[in-house]
Amino acid sequence: MVKISTTSDVPDSSTVSIGPATIESVAALAGVSRQTVSNALNAPQRVRPDTLAKVLRVIDEVGYRPNRSARSLRTQASRLIGLQTEAPTGRGSSVLDRFLHALSDAARERDHHVLLFTNAAPDDPALGYETLHRSAAVDGFVLTGTHVHDSRVEFLATHALPFVTFGRSWGDAGSPRWVDVDGAAGTALAVEHLAARGHRRIAFLGWPETSEVGEDRMLGWRRQIAHHQLVEGGLERSSEDPLDAASAMARLLDQDEPPTAVVCASDSVAAGVYRALSERGLRVGDIGVVGFDDSPAASLLTPALTSVSQPIEAVARAVFDILIRAIDGDPISEQDRVLLQPTLTIRDST
């Protein structure tokens, strides 16, 4: 039981005693219709800002929580979003961790939740999606780590299931709805910054050619080098293992004219560059180093690493908004393909 003393913006001037809060009692206290309360919870963009603020204030005061089970039976909607988790591989794990938390926050604000599931059959990546689809456990899916000929994308598209990908699918049969960060723009920012610091021979240490994301980042470096008429200081590739990256950086340093700076595909690769420079008795900073992803490790390295930062919170909000439109059956539009711009966090490594 809760006892609420109404304020001047609530029509009934008496003190109202009520049992467990319901959508009807919230509507009465806020002086709005039941549908307006529903819109405030499920489609706040349809409610006038002043009305929305009043309804949300009443909801907070009475502690109203929608009956998820009853609503699911009535609307045939679970209000759950499916996202498959992968075993940590190092590459982008901190980014995906941030994304998961940001997506959960964005979903909770609209009374949805994220359902995590794992892939029980590595040779059949779509199996988990098929199982959840048959059980009607989720309303839609969010995909990460997409690639050319991704069987998950093909399965979801074939069955006309609502889904959005964090990242482009890199192929003609890719996801029709996606949110991504412009990796090429990020490495271009890195080259721009290094050029302003006087570097003219700038190398790139990237991922294997099988990585579409890595190739996108490499192209940004190459284009900006050409734009400023700089010298390509060498191109090497490695895995995310810092030891592998250190070996790749050693090859760059063994050139007749080694680079004065290097742009890296990730912060883990940049950590390998630090190791290689230390082994040669060279100083990070004298040879400029830029990472990508601005992971927590970037500020812990010595000297602290300049790194390209992705707007993960904005990615998560855009992914959720697009997925809700897909679940509602809205036709695909240009609004469903969003390419966000990164920023550069400058520290001592440059």
Side-chain angles (χ1 to χ4, degrees):
M1 296 287 290
V2 293
K3 190 172 184 180
I4 303 172
S5 298
T6 58
T7 57
S8 59
D9 63 342
V10 177
D12 185 357
S13 61
S14 63
T15 299
V16 181
S17 294
I18 61 175
T22 65
I23 193 170
E24 289 80 9
S25 62
V26 170
L29 287 168
V32 299
S33 69
R34 185 182 187 281
Q35 183 60 50
T36 298
V37 177
S38 178
N39 286 343
L41 290 168
N42 305 313
Q45 70 277 8
R46 300 177 183 174
V47 184
R48 286 173 43 188
D50 56 337
T51 302
L52 177 62
K54 180 166 63 175
V55 171
L56 293 179
R57 184 166 62 251
V58 171
I59 287 172
D60 184 61
E61 288 173 353
V62 303
Y64 172 63
R65 294 295 180 269
N67 186 323
R68 184 178 303 277
S69 298
R71 183 170 57 195
S72 295
L73 290 173
R74 183 174 65 253
T75 64
Q76 299 299 306
S78 69
R79 306 187 80 78
L80 292 174
I81 306 304
L83 190 152
Q84 185 182 87
T85 60
E86 304 287 348
T89 60
R91 179 183 298 182
S93 57
S94 65
V95 172
L96 292 179
D97 184 63
R98 283 179 56 204
F99 173 70
L100 174 58
H101 283 83
L103 181 65
S104 298
D105 288 342
R108 188 185 65 249
E109 290 171 2
R110 299 274 288 275
D111 194 32
H112 284 68
H113 293 277
V114 178
L115 175 67
L116 299 180
F117 64 99
T118 57
N119 180 16
D123 58 337
D124 185 8
L127 180 60
Y129 296 85
E130 183 175 6
T131 301
L132 288 176
H133 167 48
R134 287 178 176 175
S135 65
V138 300
D139 298 332
F141 294 94
V142 173
L143 275 64
T144 62
T146 50
H147 52 82
V148 174
H149 305 308
D150 195 314
S151 63
R152 301 171 301 166
V153 172
E154 294 171 1
F155 172 82
L156 295 171
T158 299
H159 289 78
L161 299 177
F163 73 99
V164 181
T165 63
F166 172 17
R168 289 158 280 181
S169 293
W170 310 101
D172 293 337
S175 171
R177 291 183 166 100
W178 51 262
V179 181
D180 204 358
V181 177
D182 193 338
T187 50
L189 283 174
V191 172
E192 189 79 27
H193 170 67
L194 291 167
R197 292 290 189 274
H199 293 281
R200 292 294 177 266
R201 184 176 294 275
I202 303 172
F204 185 79
L205 211 170
W207 291 325
E209 292 181 74
T210 52
S211 168
E212 293 87 6
V213 173
E215 290 304 279
D216 185 50
R217 295 179 183 182
M218 181 274 291
L219 287 175
W221 160 78
R222 176 158 282 164
R223 290 169 182 164
Q224 202 68 4
I225 289 285
H227 175 73
H228 283 288
Q229 298 182 328
L230 304 174
V231 177
E232 289 190 9
L235 169 62
E236 288 288 343
R237 303 177 189 278
S238 83
S239 68
E240 279 288 271
D241 185 342
L243 291 178
D244 190 18
S247 296
M249 183 60 189
R251 293 193 294 272
L252 290 172
L253 294 172
D254 286 339
Q255 297 177 125
D256 291 338
E257 294 187 74
T260 64
V262 58
V263 177
C264 303
S266 72
D267 290 348
S268 294
V269 169
V273 171
Y274 274 49
R275 181 186 180 96
L277 294 179
S278 176
E279 290 174 347
R280 299 289 181 98
L282 301 172
R283 292 179 52 193
V284 176
D286 291 340
I287 293 183
V289 184
V290 180
F292 203 113
D293 290 334
D294 198 18
S295 64
S299 60
L300 299 178
L301 289 170
T302 304
L305 175 66
T306 294
S307 186
V308 178
S309 179
Q310 302 195 59
I312 298 300
E313 288 71 24
V315 169
R317 287 193 298 271
V319 163
F320 183 78
D321 288 344
I322 293 171
L323 184 57
I324 291 300
R325 290 200 295 270
I327 292 171
D328 289 343
D330 291 357
I332 296 171
S333 70
E334 288 299 319
Q335 290 181 306
D336 296 327
R337 292 179 288 276
V338 177
L339 188 62
L340 297 172
Q341 297 301 303
T343 56
L344 187 66
T345 301
I346 300 172
R347 299 189 180 95
D348 295 336
S349 67
T350 53

